[in-house]
Amino acid sequence: MDKRNKPLWPAIVLLLAMMALMFLAGLMVGRGSKRPPPDTAAPAPKAVAVTSAASALGRTTTRQLDGLRRGVPVDQEASPLPMARVENVDRKRLRAYPMQPPTIPHSIDGYQVDKNSNRCMLCHARANAEKFQAPPVSVTHYMDRDDQFLATISPRRYFCNQCHVVQTDAQPLVANNFEDIDTVMAAAVAESGSVHEAAVASKGTP
């Protein structure tokens, strides 16, 4: 045997001995570890859906959740309402909430409102409003975001139907007792007039 290979044999024997020891140690650890006992507890009972009187489904039989559902319980499918018809009568409506964009009192079918043309501005531009007897666009629509007035409609107010919608004969789904400022002021004037008349009448009474 080549004398140059003799120094390698002790290293090989030592490596094999270490591998054998590691294998035996792992085998002993594996046998000595105790497995957890099987779960012999009774299975948990399955949850049963209970509809209590305090839940949403429990309340719908006596009290409806939302007027938008038109009295239909939340766990039932509501039939859709018929399509509302556009009111093409040119009669202006009062606002339904503060700062509401005015609604459109006529049909806008076929109106072209895009980057090339705005059919609404044919009548409602301030230069044409008197000619067509249409309400002119508010001056705020000619202001840019820095409150600077422009010669033409502001690009951010150009697409009218982003805010304005046509009036239809659809009935309100929820009650609304909002009164605009004109109605409130008229009522205040009428009340102050009545108070004044009552004061004058009381002074003239002997």
Side-chain angles (χ1 to χ4, degrees):
M1 181 177 294
D2 192 355
K3 295 181 178 180
R4 291 176 299 179
N5 294 333
K6 287 184 178 179
L8 297 177
W9 285 105
I12 294 174
V13 172
L14 181 62
L15 179 63
L16 292 174
M18 291 178 62
M19 292 177 63
L21 289 174
M22 292 176 63
F23 175 77
L24 291 175
L27 186 62
M28 293 177 63
V29 170
R31 288 182 177 180
S33 62
K34 296 182 179 180
R35 295 182 180 180
D39 189 6
T40 57
K46 295 182 179 181
V48 179
V50 177
T51 303
S52 64
S55 68
L57 296 180
R59 292 199 304 267
T60 52
T61 56
T62 57
R63 181 168 60 89
Q64 303 310 319
L65 297 179
D66 195 344
L68 294 175
R69 294 191 59 83
R70 310 188 309 276
V72 179
V74 70
D75 57 340
Q76 297 181 14
E77 188 71 22
S79 58
L81 292 172
M83 292 291 292
R85 293 176 299 178
V86 175
E87 291 183 345
N88 195 21
V89 293
D90 285 336
R91 187 178 300 119
K92 182 181 177 181
R93 280 186 182 177
L94 298 177
R95 299 178 192 266
Y97 55 89
M99 304 301 293
Q100 178 195 7
T103 52
I104 305 172
H106 58 79
S107 173
I108 58 172
D109 291 344
Y111 276 35
Q112 181 179 354
V113 181
D114 54 30
K115 65 183 182 64
N116 299 318
S117 176
N118 186 327
R119 172 64 177 79
C120 303
M121 298 305 293
L122 175 64
C123 301
H124 293 281
R126 301 188 73 82
N128 302 333
E130 184 177 358
K131 176 182 177 181
F132 290 97
Q133 297 183 356
V137 172
S138 171
V139 293
T140 58
H141 290 47
Y142 290 85
M143 298 168 62
D144 61 12
R145 63 182 180 180
D146 299 320
D147 294 338
Q148 300 297 319
F149 283 96
L150 308 175
T152 57
I153 198 78
S154 173
R156 63 182 187 148
R157 300 292 187 95
Y158 180 82
F159 295 99
C160 309
N161 47 8
Q162 286 185 147
C163 301
H164 302 275
V165 297
V166 295
Q167 297 174 177
T168 67
D169 61 355
Q171 296 300 314
L173 295 176
V174 294
N176 185 5
N177 57 0
F178 171 76
E179 295 181 347
D180 62 358
I181 187 62
D182 295 331
T183 305
V184 174
M185 292 181 64
V189 170
E191 183 178 356
S192 63
S194 300
V195 171
H196 179 70
E197 291 177 0
V200 172
S202 63
K203 288 181 180 180
T205 304

